[in-house]
Amino acid sequence: EVFGPDFASIQDDHVPKITAAIYGHQPTYAEVFRYASLEFPDKLVAISNADVVLRNLHLIDRDAFRVMPRLGLTIPVVPPNSTYGRVCQPPTRCHEHMGPSWDVHLFQSPLPSDAQWQWLEELEPNPVYMNQMGAENRAGIFLAKSGFDLVNPCFHIRAEHYHCAPKTHHSRSVYSEKATPELGALSGSNNIPVLNPRGIRQDCR
């Protein structure tokens, strides 16, 4: 699903895989998660920038997302021309000096009733928008605090970020004294790729 007025003219008969929704303003991460939870019940949902391409989704084991503990896949990006044999932390995409970032969050909707929204809505600074410094990791910690077991499957599920044009980023960071240690610890543990992670089928590689 694509948010924004630029996509208002897309018709289903022209691009059947894309549905456009005009939101009226740039949604915060909390609004995007709520929208996904309400509009796509019992679906696997991937939240990412529109210029991220996911590959090998046929490897996903949907049944693994229906059992406890809740499973979330958080996928760092790789350059479009890289191979699985290389370390799949996100190096340079199309620009240099792009640091580690989880650009994709994949989970089973709806979110639990006790989802920890304060990590996106109350912890300063907020609100949290995509492309703020630390925003994608803040979304990851929201899922972790909401009971999701976060796994990095980047050896199997490939996320390519075609980040090849000038782009405006929010200047304000979403880090704070309270959030930074949590984000740092979570980022460090989750950025390690897993060879045989939960959520990946073992029978069709």
Side-chain angles (χ1 to χ4, degrees):
E1 185 126 354
V2 179
F3 294 96
D6 293 342
F7 297 92
S9 62
I10 291 177
Q11 301 296 320
D12 284 351
D13 55 344
H14 295 151
V15 190
K17 291 186 177 181
I18 297 178
T19 300
I22 300 178
Y23 206 79
H25 63 273
Q26 181 182 1
T28 65
Y29 252 121
E31 289 174 321
V32 170
F33 274 112
R34 280 199 173 92
Y35 184 92
S37 188
L38 292 172
E39 296 295 325
F40 306 107
D42 199 34
K43 302 271 188 193
L44 282 182
V45 176
I47 293 179
S48 72
N49 284 180
D51 56 352
V52 172
V53 175
L54 294 175
R55 303 194 186 279
N56 292 342
L57 293 179
H58 66 284
L59 296 178
I60 288 179
D61 178 5
R62 293 182 61 90
D63 291 338
F65 290 83
R66 297 189 173 101
V67 298
M68 300 297 285
R70 297 182 184 93
L71 175 63
L73 302 183
T74 53
I75 310 171
V77 296
V78 295
N81 62 351
S82 68
T83 63
Y84 291 142
R86 301 174 187 172
V87 176
C88 53
Q89 291 182 354
T92 62
R93 311 173 194 168
C94 298
H95 296 297
E96 294 183 356
H97 310 301
M98 304 294 287
S101 175
W102 305 333
D103 281 31
V104 181
H105 299 287
L106 196 149
F107 61 96
Q108 178 82 14
S109 181
L111 291 167
S113 59
D114 60 349
Q116 302 297 298
W117 295 104
Q118 66 270 21
W119 286 91
L120 292 176
E121 296 183 313
E122 297 178 15
L123 182 67
E124 292 292 343
N126 70 71
V128 180
Y129 295 98
M130 284 186 177
N131 302 320
Q132 286 175 284
M133 179 72 72
E136 279 63 47
N137 288 6
R138 182 98 163 247
I141 201 172
F142 160 72
L143 290 174
K145 292 294 184 179
S146 298
F148 285 84
D149 179 19
L150 299 184
V151 174
N152 176 358
C154 69
F155 282 127
H156 312 284
I157 306 298
R158 182 187 182 94
E160 297 176 354
H161 202 158
Y162 289 82
H163 204 46
C164 304
K167 183 175 183 178
T168 300
H169 285 75
H170 288 271
S171 60
R172 193 174 64 156
S173 169
V174 299
Y175 288 104
S176 70
E177 290 185 3
K178 180 179 178 182
T180 300
E182 295 267 19
L183 287 169
L186 189 60
S187 176
S189 63
N190 188 67
N191 233 7
I192 301 172
V194 180
L195 287 176
N196 296 296
R198 282 182 64 205
I200 301 299
R201 295 175 59 183
Q202 305 296 312
D203 61 344
C204 62
R205 296 182 191 173

